[in-house]
């Protein structure tokens, strides 16, 4: 069984020799508050902390700390099924935040298209919240690479699931979400790319919304996939002031 892991690393305070966790975020602003904030800017200074690899100061991150998102189903109304103790997107985000004890946390996803064959053998790309990578399912005929098949995954990096808004379109621009029969859309986290071994997606940001992933396969084909990233891929105006001094957003 091949598996993809998303590890949230703990981080370590060099001055106090203590790990920092969410319990020290006193004002819930996602910035950890500390008495060793030498610049008094509410941000931990570089000399005060460092990220640590699992196992550097603690035992290897136990798999029990990771959330199994293999069977996750995310719908357009932000409901989620297939994950233990999770029924909404807010539940999932809280569960992810709560999986960062002193020895780290995160998520994992088993490959299920052909469980004993599907595997990730090329690098992933990450742009504005969207984790994009390919998997390959080799043929039983060892002499013909082109008879194998590839998939493209587009996951929300923090959860390892599909995003609650459509983030992945087919090569021809068609939607990948499907109806649940009750007025909601089920968001796709993967699409098949067809025959051949697909390499690392190359991401391009142009004038359009989102980005494009270009994937070349061992058959010589270059496949273009449209992605709608959860976060903004381009800079732009966020606010301005009029002559009367009022600020608008």
């Amino acid at each position: 069984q091949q598996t993809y892991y998303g590890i949230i690393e703990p981080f370590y305070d060099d001055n106090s020799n203590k790990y920092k966790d969410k319990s020290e975020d006193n004002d819930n602003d996602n910035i950890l508050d500390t008495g060793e904030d030498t610049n008094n800017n509410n941000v931990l200074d570089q000399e005060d902390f460092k990220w640590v690899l699992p196992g550097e100061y603690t035992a290897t991150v136990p798999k029990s700390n990771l959330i199994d998102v293999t069977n996750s189903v995310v719908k357009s109304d932000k409901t989620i099924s297939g994950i233990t103790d999770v029924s909404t997107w807010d539940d999932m985000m809280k569960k992810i935040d709560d999986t960062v004890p002193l020895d780290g946390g995160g998520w994992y996803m088993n490959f299920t298209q052909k469980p004993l064959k599907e595997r990730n053998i090329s690098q992933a790309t990450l742009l504005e919240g969207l984790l994009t990578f390919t998997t390959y399912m080799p043929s039983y005929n060892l002499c013909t690479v082109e008879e194998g098949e590839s998939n493209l995954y587009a996951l929300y990096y923090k959860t390892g699931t599909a995003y609650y808004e459509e983030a992945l379109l087919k090569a021809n621009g068609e939607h990948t979400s499907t109806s649940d029969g009750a007025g909601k859309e089920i968001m796709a986290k993967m699409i098949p790319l067809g025959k051949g071994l697909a390499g690392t997606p190359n991401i391009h940001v142009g004038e359009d919304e989102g980005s494009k992933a270009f994937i070349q396969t061992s058959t010589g084909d270059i496949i273009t996939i449209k992605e709608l990233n959860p976060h903004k891929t381009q800079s732009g105006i966020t606010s301005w002031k009029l002559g009367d001094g009022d600020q608008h957003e």
Side-chain angles (χ1 to χ4, degrees):
Q1 174 66 65
Q2 299 289 302
T3 304
Y4 203 97
Y5 293 88
I7 302 297
I8 303 175
E9 300 166 348
F11 54 98
Y12 185 83
D13 188 312
D14 271 345
N15 289 340
S16 64
N17 291 327
K18 294 179 179 178
Y19 289 93
K20 300 296 182 182
D21 59 34
K22 290 264 181 185
S23 64
E24 298 187 40
D25 182 20
N26 298 323
D27 47 14
N28 296 316
D29 58 3
N30 288 328
I31 298 175
L32 298 180
D33 307 298
T34 173
E36 288 136 5
D37 177 21
T38 54
N39 293 328
N40 296 316
N41 59 4
N42 259 350
V43 178
L44 289 172
D45 302 295
Q46 185 62 44
E47 63 269 21
D48 291 338
F49 84 99
K50 62 181 178 181
W51 292 103
V52 296
L53 295 175
E56 186 174 354
Y57 289 98
T58 65
T60 302
V61 174
K63 196 170 183 179
S64 59
N65 279 12
L66 307 180
I67 301 170
D68 183 357
V69 300
T70 302
N71 299 314
S72 63
V73 176
V74 179
K75 295 185 180 181
S76 54
D77 62 351
K78 296 188 177 183
T79 58
I80 298 179
S81 60
I83 302 177
T84 302
D85 298 327
V86 168
S87 59
T88 68
W89 189 260
D90 289 342
D91 289 344
M92 185 62 185
M93 298 303 288
K94 183 178 186 305
K95 192 175 181 69
I96 283 288
D97 288 341
D98 289 344
T99 64
V100 193
L102 302 187
D103 47 0
W107 53 265
Y108 70 93
M109 180 189 71
N110 293 327
F111 293 132
T112 60
Q113 294 304 302
K114 293 183 179 178
L116 299 182
K117 297 176 64 177
E118 186 180 16
R119 58 205 61 222
N120 168 239
I121 57 177
S122 61
Q123 289 184 320
T125 59
L126 178 62
L127 176 66
E128 294 303 339
L130 201 61
L131 176 69
T132 306
F133 61 89
T134 59
T135 60
Y136 180 61
M137 297 172 291
S139 167
Y140 288 109
N141 186 344
L142 300 181
C143 298
T144 55
V145 174
E146 285 75 14
E147 288 187 8
E149 298 178 335
S150 293
N151 297 318
L152 178 75
Y153 285 81
L155 310 177
Y156 187 59
Y157 79 107
K158 195 170 184 179
T159 63
T161 68
Y163 195 54
Y164 59 81
E165 295 178 350
E166 192 162 46
L168 185 61
L169 301 179
K170 295 180 182 178
N172 60 7
E174 291 182 1
H175 294 279
T176 57
S177 61
T178 57
S179 174
D180 68 351
K184 305 296 188 299
E185 293 293 310
I186 300 172
M187 298 303 162
K189 61 182 179 182
M190 181 278 293
I191 57 174
L193 295 177
K195 298 287 186 180
L197 169 62
T200 298
N202 293 283
I203 307 298
H204 177 262
V205 178
E207 296 181 357
D208 297 333
E209 180 185 4
S211 59
K212 288 183 179 179
F214 297 91
I215 306 102
Q216 185 165 14
T217 71
S218 59
T219 63
D221 292 336
I222 297 179
I223 302 171
T224 303
I225 302 293
K226 175 70 175 177
E227 296 184 328
L228 301 175
N229 304 72
H231 305 160
K232 289 185 177 181
T233 57
Q234 300 179 15
S235 60
I237 296 174
T238 59
S239 67
W240 68 95
K241 287 187 176 181
L242 301 179
D244 58 6
D246 294 336
Q247 181 169 325
H248 301 264
E249 295 186 355

